Amino acid sequence: MTAAPLTTWTENGPTDEELLAKYRPVFARIAEGALERESSGRLALEEAGWLREAGFPAVRVPREFGGDGASLRQLYLLVVELAAAESNLPHALRVHLRFVEDRWRERHTPRGQEWLRRIGAGLVFGTAVSEREGTFRKPATTLRSVDGRLVLNGKKYYSTGALYGDYLTVAALDDSGERVTAVVRADTQGVERIDDWAGFGQRASASGTTIFTDVEVDGPEAIFPPPGGTAGHLAHFQLTHLATIAGIVRRATDDIAEFVRRRHRTYPAAKAAVAAQDPLIQHVVGRNDAAAYALRAIVLDAAASLDAAADLGYAFRTTPEAERTAEAEAEVTAAELKAELDAFRAQSVVLDLGLKATTEIFEVGGASALDRKYQFDRHWRNVRTLASHNPLIYREQQLGDYVLNGTAPTFLSPEGASVITGAAGAPTDAGEGATSAGSPT
């Protein structure tokens, strides 16, 4: 696997070199069983335990609360490498990583600090949000007050990572009809987690059904406002998928290169007697190696935008209200918009290159590369499955509308899009210093 370039994270955080030295041995150990898990359908529960023991779920948690204190760019650097070892694990941890980030945003508050300490001590979160009966804004799952207790009832689908989590984040409607997020222990009486994900890829992501029957929630401290309406929130979710795809392409390239090195047969029309010496095969492998490099670089660049937005937003929120300025607020909004748009841009390129690369690997091996013992098809299936989240056609349309008309995507406001304009109503530079009427939250 290609080594990552090393940089230093400021503000008393770890360096890339320190993080990679800590986690690469664990990733290598996880990679050893990848083919066995794919063949048997076994969930990587034991391997997730190795990540927990190493501290990976707390990599973004500040050091004073028991984590590594890594930046978002460093988090995604590690996600790329974990995905190369086992793409199901970063997928299963996707909502956990977002929950950590939400608590990072409120690390100046007692509630934020308490949850960060728990995560630093090893807690992992799964999710239960999507439904077939309800909608994202109006879930059919309910959170009701019954005899002084808060009780959850409902049925969820695509509960990514639910079987890996100690806690589940659950979207529900409360007594007032407002959407909230309830956090419950996964082993609470009345919680049933079912591994019935039927997709052809990401088979061990535990994205199955979760049923809640009169499940008691601990109390108001376990109730959070709904996510969304904030630039950067969707970018974080999307970048986890994109980093996972970058890791898959890295693994696919390494797998097919090793296959070619061992291959003695070749095509009658081949340009060399040995496959590894054939310039056409070298061309395909070289192009895929370049794709893996480019995907990783694109993801890390978008993550750097998200870092900048997160840091500016936190600084603004922790500034006394009387000292906040309109200029500072506009700077935060511009940074958050840029982060979201950069994730849109990255998504367009990463999905295209990822799907192409995981298809082209079969050009170098003939029918021998189809042998199920190699499981090479898992790479394309996994990329295709991840690419089906947040369909690209909508992202590219929103990006085009912004570039042409200055219309910001609707993530800035749950009610609708904000229009970002410059002089005489012309759109400002696409994300580079754009401002909006929306307020950061």
Side-chain angles (χ1 to χ4, degrees):
M1 189 179 300
T2 303
L6 305 179
T7 62
T8 299
W9 170 236
T10 57
E11 299 186 9
N12 301 314
T15 65
D16 289 2
E17 184 175 31
E18 290 169 341
L19 289 169
L20 293 169
K22 178 179 180 179
Y23 290 111
R24 272 182 171 166
V26 185
F27 297 164
R29 185 182 176 198
I30 290 170
E32 291 174 0
L35 290 181
E36 177 273 319
R37 289 189 297 273
E38 183 70 21
S39 299
S40 67
R42 178 175 67 84
L43 296 180
L45 296 174
E46 181 181 7
E47 291 77 7
W50 302 343
L51 288 178
R52 186 200 302 260
E53 291 166 6
F56 182 79
V59 68
R60 177 72 169 145
V61 172
R63 283 175 163 172
E64 60 266 35
F65 303 120
D68 289 308
S71 68
L72 283 168
R73 192 200 68 82
Q74 290 175 318
L75 168 65
Y76 289 112
L77 169 67
L78 294 175
V79 169
V80 171
E81 298 230 351
L82 173 58
E86 172 54 82
S87 69
N88 289 286
L89 285 174
H91 190 181
L93 291 170
R94 177 174 174 247
V95 172
H96 168 86
L97 298 176
R98 181 64 236 185
F99 185 85
V100 173
E101 193 62 21
D102 287 337
R103 307 292 73 78
W104 184 95
R105 287 166 51 88
E106 59 175 15
R107 65 191 186 279
H108 58 294
T109 69
R111 181 181 72 168
Q113 293 172 6
E114 174 59 25
W115 281 106
L116 286 171
R117 288 191 187 95
R118 296 184 188 184
I119 297 164
L123 285 186
V124 174
F125 292 78
T127 191
V129 172
S130 299
E131 294 182 348
R132 291 179 178 169
E133 288 83 1
T135 66
F136 181 79
R137 296 188 187 280
K138 296 290 184 181
T141 299
T142 60
L143 178 68
R144 297 286 183 255
S145 179
V146 180
D147 298 328
R149 300 176 300 126
L150 292 172
V151 178
L152 270 174
N153 280 283
K155 187 175 185 179
K156 300 289 188 177
Y157 295 89
Y158 310 128
S159 306
T160 302
L163 287 165
Y164 291 94
D166 305 298
Y167 279 82
L168 304 179
T169 60
V170 188
L173 287 188
D174 64 13
D175 286 325
S176 64
E178 295 296 319
R179 185 181 185 274
V180 298
T181 297
V183 175
V184 298
R185 283 202 62 90
D187 58 2
T188 302
Q189 183 176 354
V191 176
E192 184 181 4
R193 296 173 289 171
I194 305 170
D195 183 22
D196 59 353
W197 165 242
F200 61 59
Q202 295 300 99
R203 292 171 174 172
S205 60
S207 300
T209 301
T210 307
I211 302 171
F212 300 91
T213 305
D214 295 330
V215 175
E216 188 168 349
V217 180
D218 288 342
E221 68 276 7
I223 307 300
F224 296 87
T230 304
H233 184 90
L234 294 177
H236 192 283
F237 276 130
Q238 191 62 54
L239 280 178
T240 304
H241 282 328
L242 301 184
T244 303
I245 290 171
I248 291 170
V249 173
R250 178 73 269 160
R251 175 56 58 197
T253 302
D254 291 348
D255 281 353
I256 204 65
E258 180 60 26
F259 173 85
V260 169
R261 291 188 199 101
R262 297 194 308 264
R263 183 171 169 80
H264 299 294
R265 297 176 63 235
T266 188
Y267 297 102
K271 304 301 181 182
V274 178
Q277 297 298 322
D278 189 322
L280 294 180
I281 290 178
Q282 292 170 352
H283 170 76
V284 173
V285 173
R287 184 167 57 197
N288 280 14
D289 180 70
Y293 170 85
L295 296 185
R296 177 180 169 281
I298 290 168
V299 167
L300 296 186
D301 185 75
S305 293
L306 197 55
D307 257 327
D311 290 340
L312 278 172
Y314 184 76
F316 184 84
R317 287 189 301 277
T318 53
T319 296
E321 190 170 352
E323 299 176 20
R324 299 176 187 175
T325 66
E327 291 78 11
E329 183 177 8
E331 186 180 7
V332 172
T333 304
E336 290 182 334
L337 174 63
K338 182 179 186 301
E340 201 68 58
L341 291 172
D342 283 352
F344 281 26
R345 295 165 180 136
Q347 183 180 359
S348 179
V349 178
V350 169
L351 300 191
D352 182 58
L353 275 180
L355 289 168
K356 184 177 180 180
T358 52
T359 298
E360 283 193 345
I361 62 172
F362 294 98
E363 294 293 329
V364 304
S368 298
L370 305 181
D371 194 313
R372 281 182 291 181
K373 70 182 180 183
Y374 300 120
Q375 298 284 349
F376 289 153
D377 62 304
R378 78 186 190 278
H379 299 310
W380 181 88
R381 288 188 287 101
N382 290 338
V383 171
R384 180 64 266 175
T385 299
L386 292 166
S388 296
H389 292 72
N390 310 311
L392 181 59
I393 55 173
Y394 297 107
R395 295 290 189 257
E396 291 180 330
Q397 180 275 321
Q398 289 177 306
L399 183 58
D401 192 16
Y402 173 75
V403 171
L404 292 171
N405 304 309
T407 306
T410 55
F411 56 75
L412 284 179
S413 167
E415 289 75 35
S418 300
V419 177
I420 300 169
T421 58
T428 57
D429 185 35
E432 298 289 342
T435 59
S436 166
S439 298
T441 56

